[in-house]
Amino acid sequence: PYTSTIVFLVRKGNPKDLKDWDDIVKPGVEIITPDPKTSGGARWNFLAAWGFANELYKGDEEKDKQFLADLYSNVTVLDSGARGATTTFVENKQGDVLLAWENEAFLSQKEHPGEFEIVTPSISILAQPSVAVVDEVADKRGTQEVAKAYLEYLYSDEAQRLEGENFYRPSNEEILKEFSDTFDLNLKLVNIDDDFGGWAAATEKFFADGAIFDQIYKK
C-alpha cells in the first residue's frame, strides 16, 4: 500500500555538506548505520549505496566493493538494529550522518524540531513493505472479514493520505503527487528484484557468511 526509501539524516546546517553517497565516503565523515548481518533495515542501506556505486562505476564490482569498504570504514557505530542506530545518532548525538528509513528520518525531524535536516541522495532503493492476512491466525480468531477489510482500506484514498501524512510514500501515484512538497519524486530508485535478483540472491551475494559484506568490512 505504500513505499519508502533510504535517506541521510544530518545535523542542522549540514556542517559536513553531505549531498550524496560519494560525500559520505570521504575521510573524516562519521556514519551511523546498523549492521546488515543482524538488521534487515541495514541491508536496504547497503544495497542503496551499492546501487549508487554500481551506476558510478558502470558495473565494475571491484570498484563497487571498494566504495562500500570506504563507506563502512567511516561507520563509527554499527548498531544491531535500525532503532538503536537512530538512538545513537539522535539521542546520543554521535556521528555526522544517519542512514535511515525516510519515514524514520522525518519522524526524528518532527520530534526534534530545528535539530536535523534530511538529505535525499541522487540514487536510493525502492522498499515495498508487504501486507497479508495470515489465514491460520485469522481463522483461529475469527477475524478474516475484518482483517481483509483493513488491508483493503489501506489502499483507499483516505488511508493513502494518512500514510503520506505519516511520511510513507502512497502507492497511489496521484495521491503521492499531493505530497511532492514532502518527498523528492524525481529520486532514482534501484529495485530489489530488477537490480539484485530478489532477496534470496541478494542475501547470498552480499550478506551470507563470507559474502561481500564480510569481505569488505573491517572492524
Side-chain angles (χ1 to χ4, degrees):
Y2 54 81
T3 68
S4 193
T5 190
I6 301 302
V7 298
F8 305 162
L9 189 67
V10 300
R11 311 277 172 205
K12 188 69 176 177
N14 194 4
K16 293 285 179 78
D17 195 27
L18 307 175
K19 296 176 181 176
D20 213 339
W21 294 100
D22 50 355
D23 292 319
I24 71 171
V25 301
K26 292 176 180 176
V29 177
E30 297 185 354
I31 300 170
I32 306 297
T33 183
D35 186 347
K37 300 288 283 188
T38 57
S39 166
R43 296 184 177 192
W44 292 101
N45 297 354
F46 181 101
L47 294 177
W50 183 275
F52 173 87
N54 204 48
E55 177 155 310
L56 180 66
Y57 298 119
K58 298 178 172 53
D60 186 331
E61 287 205 352
E62 288 307 309
K63 290 182 178 179
D64 296 346
K65 287 182 183 180
Q66 186 57 54
F67 186 89
L68 270 294
D70 292 342
L71 189 155
Y72 280 90
S73 71
N74 279 355
V75 174
T76 52
V77 179
L78 199 69
D79 285 292
S80 60
R83 175 57 57 188
T86 300
T87 299
T88 295
F89 184 78
V90 173
E91 304 292 343
N92 299 340
K93 304 185 186 307
Q94 296 187 49
D96 299 309
V97 56
L98 172 71
L99 306 187
W101 286 109
E102 186 173 51
N103 62 295
E104 291 281 348
F106 275 110
L107 284 173
S108 295
Q109 197 177 43
K110 182 179 179 180
E111 292 168 1
H112 302 269
E115 292 187 31
F116 302 106
E117 294 179 14
I118 294 170
V119 175
T120 304
S122 61
I123 295 177
S124 196
I125 192 165
L126 176 67
Q128 298 170 292
S130 301
V131 291
V133 175
V134 182
D135 289 332
E136 183 179 355
V137 176
D139 289 341
K140 182 179 179 181
R141 296 179 177 174
T143 55
Q144 274 281 1
E145 186 176 347
V146 70
K148 287 179 178 176
Y150 173 70
L151 258 61
E152 290 168 2
Y153 170 74
L154 293 176
Y155 295 88
S156 70
D157 289 355
E158 180 183 35
Q160 290 281 293
R161 290 190 174 93
L162 283 172
E163 290 153 16
E165 289 167 8
N166 286 279
F167 310 119
Y168 292 98
R169 295 180 178 228
S171 57
N172 182 312
E173 291 292 331
E174 291 305 310
I175 293 177
L176 175 60
K177 290 176 184 175
E178 296 176 15
F179 293 90
S180 60
D181 288 345
T182 301
F183 305 118
D184 179 354
L185 303 186
N186 297 314
L187 173 61
K188 181 172 182 178
L189 297 169
V190 294
N191 183 295
I192 187 66
D193 293 319
D194 298 340
D195 296 290
F196 297 99
W199 271 114
T203 299
E204 182 178 0
K205 178 175 181 176
F206 295 103
F207 308 118
D209 288 345
I212 286 176
F213 179 75
D214 283 350
Q215 294 167 24
I216 62 99
Y217 181 62
K218 296 181 178 64
K219 294 183 179 179

